[in-house]
Amino acid sequence: MTRIRKAVIPAAGMGTRFLPATKAIPKEMLPIVNKPSIQLIVEEAAAAGIEQVVIVTGRGKTEIVDHFDAHPALEDLLRRGGKEALRQEVIRPTQLVKLSTVRQQRPLGLGHAILCARELIGDEPFVVFLPDDLVDAQVPCARQLMDVYDATGKSVLALMNVSRSETSQYGIAAGDVDPSDPRLLHIKTLVEKPSAEEAPSTLAVVGRYVLTPDIFDYLAKTNPGRGDEIQLTDALAAMAKDHGLHGWLFDGERFDAGDVGGYLLANLNWARKTPRLWDLVQQYVKSHQR
Ligand code: G1P
């Protein structure tokens, strides 16, 4: 089995769900406590054992690249001021993985964004991280999928259960549960954002995928689908028929950081990890309870 070393983070979207905050700032740079949300994604990738990350960017996304680049003037300033811990925080994003970027020149959809990374990924399996999906887990969500891939050799995507009223916000998968592991699904059907009536199940795709490089041929053949965009889900549905595709009910808590409510909850979740901040939140809630 080829070892997984690379990942793609599509980050070319305009962030319209978050206007006006995202008028002049990439949504991936909005902070979760004191880190841009995309840093949490790259940290998950590094913790999962990923060595190289390709970020698919577009117009107005240069701050993302700057964030993962060295900043010698700032590092010097912090060193001279004796602020070593802060200096380490500034250096950290540069040390996580080897980073490259590729531009998606037109907003033709998530599937097209992944296809833009084809040359940089080459002929090896890779992980896709959708940066809106933040997952807090003991074992990084991507690592859980990589372990399934290592055991099966097939592409695998992260799944979670949602209510029927929410199916129209997600890719929805249906298939057969593996006889020896209730969390492993052999996917037979995959539909992008079906209505509650049309949804073949309530198993929603979360933005973590391990993909074999065959996906690129399927993406190249995929016609625009829902929203007139080239959908990764459609290419995966076609690939599932020929090569098989797995779903994994991952362990962990997922936050939709691309949604204002989900973003707020993500901030609370990560604030909980710093006792001083969590005390502040609790005091605030207590004093504002009706
Ligand atoms: C994308 C995918 C969808 C998936 C979702 C997870 O949709 O197309 O299949 O369920 O991410 O967050 P988006 O939310 O980018 O519209």
Side-chain angles (χ1 to χ4, degrees), residues 17 110 130 132-133 169-171 192-193 204-207 209 231 233 254:
R17 285 193 292 167
L110 173 59
L130 303 191
D132 278 351
D133 283 332
Q169 299 167 35
Y170 299 96
E192 182 66 6
K193 305 196 171 108
V205 177
V206 171
Y209 312 73
Q231 295 290 351
T233 302
R254 173 260 188 187

Side-chain angles (χ1 to χ4, degrees), residues 8-49:
V8 177
I9 304 177
M14 302 254 238
T16 45
R17 285 193 292 167
F18 237 107
L19 285 168
T22 48
K23 186 177 169 193
I25 296 171
K27 67 172 170 180
E28 298 80 7
M29 289 302 291
L30 296 177
I32 302 298
V33 188
N34 64 345
K35 285 178 190 171
S37 61
I38 195 164
Q39 185 175 338
L40 294 182
I41 298 284
V42 175
E43 285 178 355
E44 180 188 330

Side-chain angles (χ1 to χ4, degrees), residues 67-123:
H67 182 71
F68 291 98
D69 192 10
H71 192 334
L74 178 58
E75 290 164 29
D76 276 358
L77 185 80
L78 293 170
R79 190 177 40 75
R80 280 188 269 114
K83 301 192 167 137
E84 188 50 31
L86 262 188
R87 196 177 77 94
Q88 288 308 321
E89 289 293 317
V90 165
I91 293 173
R92 183 170 159 76
T94 69
Q95 295 177 327
L96 292 166
V97 294
K98 185 171 177 292
L99 202 93
S100 8
T101 59
V102 61
R103 294 270 284 222
Q104 183 186 25
Q105 298 197 336
R106 284 171 207 287
L108 299 178
L110 173 59
H112 176 260
I114 307 291
L115 195 52
C116 292
R118 183 175 199 162
E119 275 179 41
L120 289 170
I121 295 296
D123 193 25

Side-chain angles (χ1 to χ4, degrees), residues 135-210:
V135 184
D136 191 7
Q138 286 222 307
V139 177
C141 183
R143 183 68 252 171
Q144 297 177 40
L145 302 186
M146 288 158 78
D147 290 344
V148 175
Y149 170 82
D150 286 344
T152 65
K154 288 198 198 314
S155 294
V156 47
L157 42 83
L159 293 176
M160 68 175 183
N161 240 308
V162 296
S163 65
R164 204 154 261 281
S165 61
E166 294 174 312
T167 57
S168 62
Q169 299 167 35
Y170 299 96
I172 299 291
D176 305 325
V177 176
D178 188 87
S180 58
D181 192 339
R183 294 168 69 183
L184 185 62
L185 189 77
H186 298 255
I187 294 175
K188 295 282 176 300
T189 329
L190 198 59
V191 199
E192 182 66 6
K193 305 196 171 108
S195 65
E197 299 76 43
E198 287 162 345
S201 84
T202 53
L203 290 174
V205 177
V206 171
R208 300 289 183 277
Y209 312 73
V210 169

